[in-house]
């Protein structure tokens, strides 16, 4: 089996049925777990979690790799590797502009992950 991550497939978020019922309400189906696990695995690394936070909270909704790299005591290629992992997991989109690459979080996927981890009763939401 290939080690390359399969991009996260979005479920239609406009449908009446939520894509991912919270763990506290229903067991996660095998297919859903297979689709969402790479995203959780990607976020399981402290550097990638910080990168994701920096990208998701960036002013204007995107962050240049030139602004991300100085925040870490890591080499450029190492940061690029972590960003590639986030991209392959479907958590961010990337766009090259000249020499730099700009990253944007994919909010719909982050909402799916958050919905899965919700533990409050459905009535309280």
């Amino acid at each position: 089996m290939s080690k390359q991550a399969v991009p996260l497939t979005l479920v239609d978020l406009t449908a009446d049925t939520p894509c991912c019922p919270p763990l506290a309400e229903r067991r996660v189906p095998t297919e859903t777990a297979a689709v969402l696990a790479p995203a959780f695995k990607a976020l399981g690394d402290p550097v990638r979690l910080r990168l994701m936070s920096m990208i998701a909270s960036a002013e204007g909704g995107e962050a240049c790799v030139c602004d991300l790299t100085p925040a870490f005591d890591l080499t450029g290629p190492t940061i690029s590797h972590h960003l590639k992992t986030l991209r392959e997991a479907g958590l961010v989109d990337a766009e090259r502009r000249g020499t730099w690459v700009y990253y944007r979080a994919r909010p719909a996927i982050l909402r799916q992950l958050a919905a899965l981890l919700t533990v409050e009763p459905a009535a309280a939401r």
Side-chain angles (χ1 to χ4, degrees):
M1 186 169 180
S2 170
K3 288 233 179 218
Q4 186 170 351
V6 176
L8 194 60
T9 304
L10 281 174
V11 176
D12 182 9
L13 294 175
T14 61
D16 291 335
T17 308
C19 92
C20 315
L23 293 168
E25 289 180 14
R26 195 173 85 192
R27 292 180 182 173
V28 177
T30 302
E31 300 78 19
T32 302
V35 170
L36 297 178
F40 283 115
K41 184 176 180 181
L43 292 173
D45 180 271
V47 172
R48 289 192 289 268
L49 184 58
R50 285 185 57 210
L51 282 167
M52 189 71 229
S53 173
M54 292 171 71
I55 294 166
S57 66
E59 191 172 319
E62 64 182 12
C64 176
V65 70
C66 60
D67 295 325
L68 299 171
T69 304
F72 298 89
D73 190 24
L74 299 169
T75 65
T78 300
I79 295 296
S80 292
H81 164 75
H82 286 298
L83 290 167
K84 178 182 176 187
T85 301
L86 292 174
R87 202 172 57 250
E88 288 177 345
L91 294 164
V92 298
D93 287 322
E95 179 184 341
R96 178 171 292 282
R97 296 184 204 148
T99 354
W100 300 112
V101 178
Y102 289 79
Y103 292 88
R104 287 175 309 286
R106 296 183 65 205
I109 292 173
L110 296 176
R111 281 192 295 274
Q112 287 183 6
L113 297 176
L116 185 67
L117 297 177
T118 300
V119 292
E120 60 191 37
R125 277 189 257 145

